[in-house]
Amino acid sequence: MSNSFFARLRRRYHGRPTQEERRRFLQATLASTAGLFLSERFANQSRAAQAVGAKRVVVIGAGYSGLACAHELHAAGYKVTVVEARDRLGGRVLTFKDMVDKKWCEGGGELIGENHPTWVRYAKQFELELIEMTDDETLAYPVHLMGKLRSEEEVEKIYEEMEAAFTSLNEAADKIDADEPWKSPDAIALDKQNLADWIKGLEVSDLSRLAIDIQLASDNAVDNAQASKLGMLTAIKGGGGQDYWDKSETHRCQGGNQQLALRLAEMVGADRIRLKLPVENVALKEDRAIVTCADGRTIECDDVVLAAPPSTWDRITFSPELPSNIRTQMGIACKHLSVVKSRFWLETKHSQYSLADGDVSQTWEGTDNQPDPPPGEVFVAFSGANQARRSLAREGDAREAAYKAELTKIYPAYPENVTSTRMMAWPKDQWTKAGYSFPAPGQVTAIGPTYYKGLGRLHFAGEHTCYKFVGYMEGGLNSGASLARRLAKRDGVG
């Protein structure tokens, strides 16, 4: 998920919460996960395995969802094996520490919300420090739309109309069941609707309509005509209504998000995790499941957890075949990382946060508020949906020239400050083939129940299965921990 420009504007015009308010909110977020974590319930029970009859589970994928599920099941005594095609842990979470001396930045999943309960609780469990993002509320927020930078008066008007539009979504989201949205009132009708039609019906200026279109499409990484309104309402309800806009992107993990993947893997145990081992076949039988890997080895188990993104499932043969409609829509998103000499935008009293309608959707500083002083920062240009498609269509020098041209429109001093760049083209990564998910019209009600209940011995985890936190790292973590909890309950230990 991208960094919401609208959230930054809200803090400018409404002010940021006090430290005491944030402390109380984080405490409430922690409390909301009470009873979810098997790892806490079985923390002091060394013979938990006897309680579940040593059931065997193979987890396919060592991203956040797979590792969270494996950690929780292992804590409850299950015999867990994790198989991962990559040579590293973390999936779409990838921390870089080689771009700027003594600093880190994220090539994939980046931002953590105060309203992300699983992330917050794991951070506490593993003693990971969360650091706040800078809001820049006293600076001018660059908005480059329809060929020019917009005035502060125009930006304020855009904000006012965006807020009114999103408030109407908050009200509609209030009736949604965030855990099982297909059970919500009028779920099928809402799921058939798309966000583009909703945007067309808004009584706002053309400039605000364009800003709303870019904000939602880049956040969700799919064109608004292909975005389920029920999916949007579920994400808003899961994020806490207005808190979805205000608190979903507030923190980063000190030292990088990949630390959490490493901590979860450490708890599972290195001897239970197999890297560089793609899965080629999953056979679901009446009394067991058999997972066959690329090197020919087979692993028999009682249950299989599929925690890889749906965009990669075509690399695996399933027997019996998966239902034809089971693969949810995966969005297109990419990041362009620039090492820059300094925070040059401050010299003209502009913010790191911008919104634009070119090939770049939004910008921010990836090394923001880190304890190590300058020199050197990483500047992030994020693109989603159609804007990402245009960016990904270019390669090499043509791509870099296009990024320089786009960023110079927003920040004229960019060319003289950039020293090196790195492109994160996740849709071109063979083990991802996408950015992150957002359901197409009709998919929440058609696919959601299957993702939730599973198909016999096959179970699903990943941000794409967690509509209330879809697209976020929290969606991966929450889906993995929640699935482990459901399996334990099924087996009489949850």
Side-chain angles (χ1 to χ4, degrees), residues 85-86 311-312 315 425-433:
R86 287 188 174 91
S311 45
T312 66
R315 303 178 72 106
W426 289 100
K428 296 184 178 183
D429 178 274
Q430 66 171 326
W431 302 116
T432 304
K433 296 185 179 181

Side-chain angles (χ1 to χ4, degrees), residues 30 67 71 83 114 128 147 166 190 192 194 297 319 402 428:
L30 281 169
L67 290 173
H71 165 49
V83 288
E114 294 168 294
L128 299 174
F166 293 159
L190 288 170
K192 289 180 179 178
N194 65 63
R297 80 180 72 180
S319 177
K428 296 184 178 183

Side-chain angles (χ1 to χ4, degrees), residues 198-447:
W198 173 77
I199 294 171
K200 289 177 186 176
L202 294 173
E203 295 182 1
V204 297
S205 67
D206 289 342
L207 202 59
S208 294
R209 195 183 314 278
L210 177 58
I212 292 168
D213 182 78
I214 293 169
Q215 179 70 85
L216 293 179
S218 63
D219 278 358
N220 298 331
V222 299
D223 302 336
N224 286 310
Q226 297 302 316
S228 161
K229 187 177 181 183
L230 178 60
M232 187 75 251
L233 296 179
T234 305
I236 293 171
K237 179 63 176 292
Q242 185 59 52
D243 288 335
Y244 168 81
W245 308 102
D246 293 346
K247 295 183 168 66
S248 291
E249 295 144 341
T250 57
H251 288 73
R252 292 182 173 90
C253 180
Q254 172 83 23
N257 294 332
Q258 215 160 0
Q259 292 178 107
L260 179 53
L262 296 174
R263 297 293 181 86
L264 289 168
E266 181 182 355
M267 299 304 294
V268 174
D271 59 327
R272 300 179 183 90
I273 299 175
R274 306 284 185 268
L275 299 179
K276 298 189 290 186
L277 189 62
V279 170
E280 291 190 341
N281 183 274
V282 175
L284 306 170
K285 300 182 178 299
E286 185 175 339
D287 59 340
R288 68 194 188 281
I290 302 173
V291 176
T292 304
C293 303
D295 64 354
R297 80 180 72 180
T298 59
I299 310 172
E300 289 196 3
C301 56
D302 299 291
D303 293 282
V304 176
V305 173
L306 184 57
S311 45
T312 66
W313 293 356
D314 59 357
R315 303 178 72 106
I316 304 173
T317 300
F318 293 88
S319 177
E321 293 183 1
L322 296 179
S324 60
N325 69 339
I326 198 67
R327 292 168 174 82
T328 195
Q329 175 176 242
M330 296 298 291
I332 304 296
C334 58
K335 276 183 174 181
H336 182 267
L337 311 178
S338 299
V339 177
V340 294
K341 298 173 185 176
S342 65
R343 297 184 174 105
F344 57 87
W345 51 91
L346 297 178
E347 296 174 6
T348 54
K349 297 184 179 179
H350 283 86
S351 170
Q352 59 184 293
Y353 307 114
S354 73
L355 184 76
D357 61 355
D359 291 356
V360 172
S361 307
Q362 302 183 63
T363 67
W364 61 87
E365 183 197 336
T367 47
D368 171 68
N369 207 21
Q370 293 193 18
D372 293 308
E377 315 297 338
V378 174
F379 195 64
V380 179
F382 177 89
S383 303
N386 271 333
Q387 292 169 287
R389 283 190 190 89
R390 294 197 296 267
S391 296
L392 290 168
R394 302 185 182 93
E395 298 285 351
D397 292 343
R399 180 190 66 209
E400 293 305 315
Y403 269 107
K404 182 174 288 189
E406 290 294 319
L407 291 171
T408 301
K409 293 177 186 177
I410 309 168
Y411 299 98
Y414 171 79
E416 63 198 62
N417 280 276
V418 61
T419 61
S420 63
T421 64
R422 181 174 292 173
M423 183 69 179
M424 297 306 300
W426 289 100
K428 296 184 178 183
D429 178 274
Q430 66 171 326
W431 302 116
T432 304
K433 296 185 179 181
Y436 43 85
S437 74
F438 195 86
Q443 287 189 332
V444 175
T445 50
I447 303 175

Side-chain angles (χ1 to χ4, degrees), residues 85-101:
R86 287 188 174 91
D87 61 359
R88 62 170 180 82
L89 304 164
R92 283 168 281 172
V93 172
L94 180 58
T95 302
F96 293 129
K97 296 186 178 181
D98 62 344
M99 296 192 72
V100 177
D101 188 37

Side-chain angles (χ1 to χ4, degrees), residues 61-179:
Y64 268 15
S65 61
L67 290 173
C69 187
H71 165 49
E72 299 299 326
L73 289 175
H74 173 64
Y78 288 77
K79 290 184 176 180
V80 177
T81 301
V82 180
V83 288
E84 166 60 47
R86 287 188 174 91
D87 61 359
R88 62 170 180 82
L89 304 164
R92 283 168 281 172
V93 172
L94 180 58
T95 302
F96 293 129
K97 296 186 178 181
D98 62 344
M99 296 192 72
V100 177
D101 188 37
K102 297 182 180 179
K103 296 182 182 179
W104 72 93
C105 66
E106 303 294 346
E110 181 169 356
L111 302 177
I112 304 158
E114 294 168 294
N115 57 346
H116 290 172
T118 324
W119 227 123
V120 171
R121 200 166 191 99
Y122 275 141
K124 182 178 181 181
Q125 185 177 124
F126 296 120
E127 299 182 339
L128 299 174
E129 181 183 355
L130 302 183
I131 58 174
E132 290 186 36
M133 297 174 65
T134 300
D135 282 330
D136 289 0
E137 59 264 43
T138 63
L139 303 174
Y141 287 73
V143 175
H144 195 282
L145 299 175
M146 298 182 181
K148 66 177 183 179
L149 279 170
R150 296 296 165 170
S151 68
E152 290 202 48
E153 291 76 16
E154 288 175 307
V155 173
E156 184 170 4
K157 179 64 175 177
I158 288 171
Y159 165 71
E160 290 171 354
E161 294 191 321
M162 289 179 84
E163 182 181 36
F166 293 159
T167 296
S168 72
L169 286 178
N170 297 346
E171 294 168 355
D174 190 56
K175 298 178 181 179
I176 301 300
D177 182 329
D179 292 306

Side-chain angles (χ1 to χ4, degrees), residues 6 8-17 159 163 246:
F6 172 69
R8 310 273 83 80
L9 288 178
R10 270 192 60 82
R11 289 180 179 81
R12 177 175 188 178
Y13 295 115
H14 289 274
R16 64 187 299 171
Y159 165 71
E163 182 181 36
D246 293 346

